[in-house]
Amino acid sequence: MNPAPRGTAADGQLAADAVAAHQDDIPRSRSAASRYALAVCALLLFATFAALGTWQVQRLYWKLDLIARVEQRVHAPAVIPPARDHWTLITSESDEYRHIRLAGVFLPQFSAKVQASTVLGSGWWLLTPMRLEDGSTVLVNRGFVPARADDWNGHAPLPSVAEKQQTATVTGLLRISEPGGGFLRHNDPAAGRWYSRDVQAIAAARGLSDVAPYFVDADADGESGSKGAEPAADHPVGGLTVVSFHNSHLVYALTWYALALMVAGAFIWVARQEKNLSGRDR
């Protein structure tokens, strides 16, 4: 029998090592547990993004309804304010931005100034109670007063227009009370610092009773028939209610839905790669 050629065993070992090294370079398919975890993560992300998109669609319809409702109410003729027996039924959806007319006597000694930021700059809303003919009281936001050099930590002097009681008729927009305060700043009734138009808190701090649960933003020319004070340089400027609303919900909805589709597409691509690798491993 002829002897085996020299180097045959060594060459075979080298070939086996090369094949093993090549196989180590080929990605292996994931285990069943890994594939399950990946599928769960993809499903959760898809569901979350899809839910956020659906929520934005709901917000879109809510915002469109709000814009249409406000547009209709602010341009409607002024009507009488809600009666006492209707106060508990007042809501943002049914009554806010309704155009109403008040007639009564201003009580300037109980006025409050609320910090404001408007198109005219930083300053204060001047809220003065008005005693109506039926004995009830409504807080009227008579308008914006610019900040002055002697203002300090919310203790700004009241403008001269509010020095005496006045009988007046006011037209304006019904607004819902803003309890609590502003962003990261709470109202401090004891110190007279107001960051939101909180009707109940202002009424309690001023010792007022029988106060309507809303306030009224006076129109630009919403006061008439005033007696007892002449307009001054710091006369509050009315008609600054913001009645235009930013509406980007459609863009947000499309963004969330696009992310959901991207997650789904990425998962399908990974699943196909896994399938190919599984077939190669067999």
Side-chain angles (χ1 to χ4, degrees), residues 83-157:
R84 275 195 187 93
D85 56 5
H86 185 75
W87 283 359
T88 58
L89 304 177
I90 292 176
T91 65
S92 176
E93 290 75 16
S94 63
D95 296 282
E96 191 163 26
Y97 298 103
R98 196 173 298 282
H99 202 194
I100 65 175
R101 176 182 290 105
L102 305 173
V105 178
F106 276 125
L107 306 176
Q109 68 273 27
F110 299 117
S111 293
K113 300 189 78 171
V114 181
Q115 194 167 53
S117 179
T118 72
V119 294
L120 300 180
S122 298
W124 317 94
W125 297 121
L126 175 63
L127 268 67
T128 301
M130 172 178 273
R131 182 66 50 78
L132 305 185
E133 295 175 353
D134 64 357
S136 63
T137 301
V138 175
L139 285 184
V140 178
N141 177 15
R142 304 179 69 181
F144 174 77
V145 179
R148 304 192 309 192
D150 53 352
D151 293 347
W152 178 76
N153 287 338
H155 293 285

